Amino acid sequence: VGKELTPVSAQLIGQAIGSELIERGLREMVVGRDGRLSGEELSQALIAGLRESGCDVIDIGLAPSPVAYFAAYHLRTGSCVVVTGSHNPPQYNGFKIVLGGETLSGEAITALHARISEGRLLRAPLPGTVQQRSVDEDYIQRIAGDVQLERPLKVVVDAGNGVAGIIAPVLLEAIGAEVIPLYCDVDGNFPNHHPDPSDAANLEDLVATVKRFGADLGVAFDGDGDRLGMVTAEGKVINADRLLMLFAADVLMRNPGAQVIYDVKCSGKLSDFVLRNGGSPLMWKTGHSLIKAKMRETDAELAGEMSGHFFFKERWYGFDDGLYAAARLLEILAQREESAAEVLEEIPEMESTPEIRVEVEEGTQHALVTLFAAAAQSADSAFAGARLSTVDGLRADFPDGWGLLRASNTSSALVLRFEGEDSAALERIRALFRSLLQQLLPETNAGF
């Protein structure tokens, strides 16, 4: 913000998005923003650009990304832009863009840049209209009308000072939970901890608060509320792939044979678990926009990512929604007499690493992954005994575990993750990846 992303560039991006929208025969656009300090200024510039192209804007103001996605359905626009830096540091911001139900990624975003560079921007004779409207109450009522807990649960809600704090406590109380809020005041400086629940270090205060109040569990959200993290009463952090298994078992009870999509960073146990519960598992690329596109293509009822994005089509709209996922999680746990920890003991777990990032030279990450995959697939490779997948980077599944190397979608980094039946299997697979990466990139600190 202030360097690459300014109000001037935000207005041009708004005009480009609006031009694309109108060329698709659409006109109305919902705009929302997270709690970042730069959000209001960038949002107003974006709206000015949208209106300049002739779009009519419904400004829902401060709102989690899933509430903006909901507004696009509820207000029948089918299109929205959320001004959000998601889980990035406070000095970042950005835009999540949905046009006619399609979440833009990759080439579609590059095309917006080309439209600006080439000056292919519509300028309407009269600017489009703008109206302010809140959909928070509609969102809460829509969920609470469908999800109600069979018994009360005491839950600590950690919003990490992100925008989820304005809705999550109210929503979970509306479905029958007793809520203890933690860092639910919106502050774009994120003074307490970074709003990224996929990093266990950010959940330490949540663990302490759950124990202090004797809560049944704790839930945490990222900066814009589209991702969910969970800890048990005992303070154990539950990985998102295990939560996805819990959700899958529940959804498949009512939808036998349904497709469940998961990203390449998820547990090797997930596929077997979905099959055993009567579902059809499909591993796909990491990235919320890519998963949503695959859900639309396959008509899947459920999807999830290791980062904590969960996508429910059953009883919901198929977009990633950490707040709704929290409601469904409490619904499942309230149906059982056992504690959350006891329920989750039934879900398979292996030894695993968190996501490991290796920083590389700007723009080289994709070429490095291509080189790595080619070397691993050669006839004399140490990976010969593995089942190799190149759906997103290279994933090598062995009988006793797996390893993954892929290019980050959002920064110049390689992303790795490993899982094994035991620590020896995990370390063996990790050493294979480390050895090959150091051969290809001796100057890289592959100290994973």
Side-chain angles (χ1 to χ4, degrees):
V1 168
K3 293 181 180 176
E4 297 130 328
L5 185 56
T6 64
V8 171
S9 56
Q11 184 162 343
L12 286 168
I13 290 166
Q15 200 177 349
I17 293 168
S19 302
E20 180 67 30
L21 191 72
I22 283 170
E23 285 181 9
R24 293 185 183 201
L26 303 167
R27 188 177 184 87
E28 279 194 308
M29 172 71 78
V30 167
V31 173
R33 60 182 168 87
D34 73 12
R36 284 162 193 272
L37 303 178
S38 58
E40 188 163 9
E41 184 180 41
L42 291 175
S43 176
Q44 290 309 310
L46 177 89
I47 288 169
L50 286 164
R51 294 180 65 200
E52 195 172 349
S53 71
C55 285
D56 296 330
V57 175
I58 303 169
D59 179 9
I60 62 168
L62 202 59
S65 291
V67 174
Y69 300 152
F70 167 79
Y73 283 91
H74 183 65
L75 304 176
R76 294 182 168 79
T77 67
S79 304
C80 67
V81 182
V82 194
V83 181
T84 174
S86 189
H87 60 282
N88 284 300
Q91 68 270 28
Y92 285 81
N93 216 328
F95 307 100
K96 289 180 176 175
I97 307 162
V98 180
L99 296 185
E102 175 201 350
T103 301
L104 300 198
S105 67
E107 290 177 5
I109 288 176
T110 310
L112 288 177
H113 180 266
R115 185 184 277 278
I116 296 168
S117 303
E118 294 161 16
R120 290 183 290 108
L121 300 172
L122 298 182
R123 185 170 277 106
L126 286 173
T129 60
V130 61
Q131 58 174 299
Q132 270 74 37
R133 178 155 178 187
S134 171
V135 294
D136 295 4
E137 280 301 316
D138 302 303
Y139 175 83
I140 291 165
Q141 286 174 11
R142 166 69 177 81
I143 297 172
D146 179 51
V147 179
Q148 285 292 318
L149 305 189
E150 289 189 10
R151 64 182 176 94
L153 292 172
K154 186 192 286 189
V155 57
V156 179
V157 171
D158 182 355
N161 300 110
V163 72
I166 62 175
I167 286 192
V170 187
L171 169 66
L172 298 185
E173 281 174 354
I175 68 168
E178 179 190 340
V179 174
I180 298 154
L182 178 66
Y183 309 143
C184 284
D185 54 314
V186 179
D187 184 339
N189 291 307
F190 309 126
N192 295 291
H193 64 75
H194 195 56
D196 179 357
S198 66
D199 183 346
N202 296 324
L203 302 177
E204 288 171 4
D205 290 356
L206 178 60
V207 167
T209 309
V210 166
K211 289 179 177 176
R212 185 161 78 245
F213 286 94
D216 294 296
L217 71 153
V219 294
F221 303 99
D222 69 336
D224 65 330
D226 58 10
R227 296 197 289 142
L228 171 70
M230 178 202 164
V231 302
T232 66
E234 297 75 17
K236 181 178 170 64
V237 176
I238 304 300
N239 283 342
D241 48 6
R242 294 184 73 220
L243 284 182
L244 182 58
M245 291 188 230
L246 187 70
F247 291 143
D250 177 63
V251 168
L252 289 167
M253 276 195 297
R254 293 179 296 277
N255 302 272
Q259 183 118 64
V260 177
I261 299 174
Y262 59 98
D263 81 317
V264 292
K265 292 190 284 190
C266 285
S267 172
K269 293 286 187 188
L270 210 155
S271 176
D272 291 344
F273 185 88
V274 170
L275 287 167
R276 275 206 318 278
N277 281 273
S280 173
L282 175 66
M283 186 168 73
W284 195 239
K285 299 172 184 179
T286 292
H288 72 98
S289 51
L290 305 173
I291 295 275
K292 273 184 271 203
K294 198 67 177 172
M295 281 187 86
R296 285 177 62 154
E297 182 190 317
T298 61
D299 213 25
E301 292 291 347
L302 175 69
E305 292 188 89
M306 192 63 207
S307 57
H309 289 269
F310 297 101
F311 312 73
F312 287 86
K313 186 162 150 293
E314 193 221 33
R315 296 162 55 192
W316 198 232
Y317 300 96
F319 54 73
D320 44 334
D321 189 338
L323 306 165
Y324 180 75
R328 290 286 290 260
L329 173 62
L330 296 188
E331 179 187 50
I332 293 166
L333 296 175
Q335 290 166 355
R336 304 281 293 270
E337 291 177 7
E338 307 96 312
S339 71
E342 289 167 333
V343 170
L344 284 151
E345 272 171 20
E346 300 165 14
I347 304 290
E349 183 173 23
M350 292 170 77
E351 293 260 347
S352 65
T353 67
E355 186 176 291
I356 298 162
R357 297 176 74 80
V358 176
E359 300 298 325
V360 294
E361 194 179 321
E362 183 80 34
T364 62
Q365 66 269 32
H366 293 282
L368 287 169
V369 169
T370 302
L371 277 174
F372 187 95
Q377 289 170 300
S378 64
D380 57 348
S381 162
F383 289 79
R387 186 173 77 250
L388 301 180
S389 166
T390 54
V391 70
D392 182 3
L394 181 95
R395 175 165 163 154
D397 280 84
F398 297 87
D400 57 352
W402 58 272
L404 168 76
L405 178 124
R406 57 178 290 276
S408 167
N409 290 331
T410 53
S411 64
S412 291
L414 303 176
V415 178
L416 300 103
R417 188 172 185 239
F418 304 97
E419 187 179 64
E421 292 284 1
D422 53 36
S423 53
L426 185 145
E427 187 43 51
R428 188 193 81 251
I429 297 166
R430 193 168 170 154
L432 266 180
F433 274 74
R434 187 189 299 122
S435 170
L436 182 54
L437 190 57
Q438 283 177 331
Q439 285 174 41
L440 294 172
L441 208 63
E443 70 280 7
T444 294
N445 175 27
F448 54 84

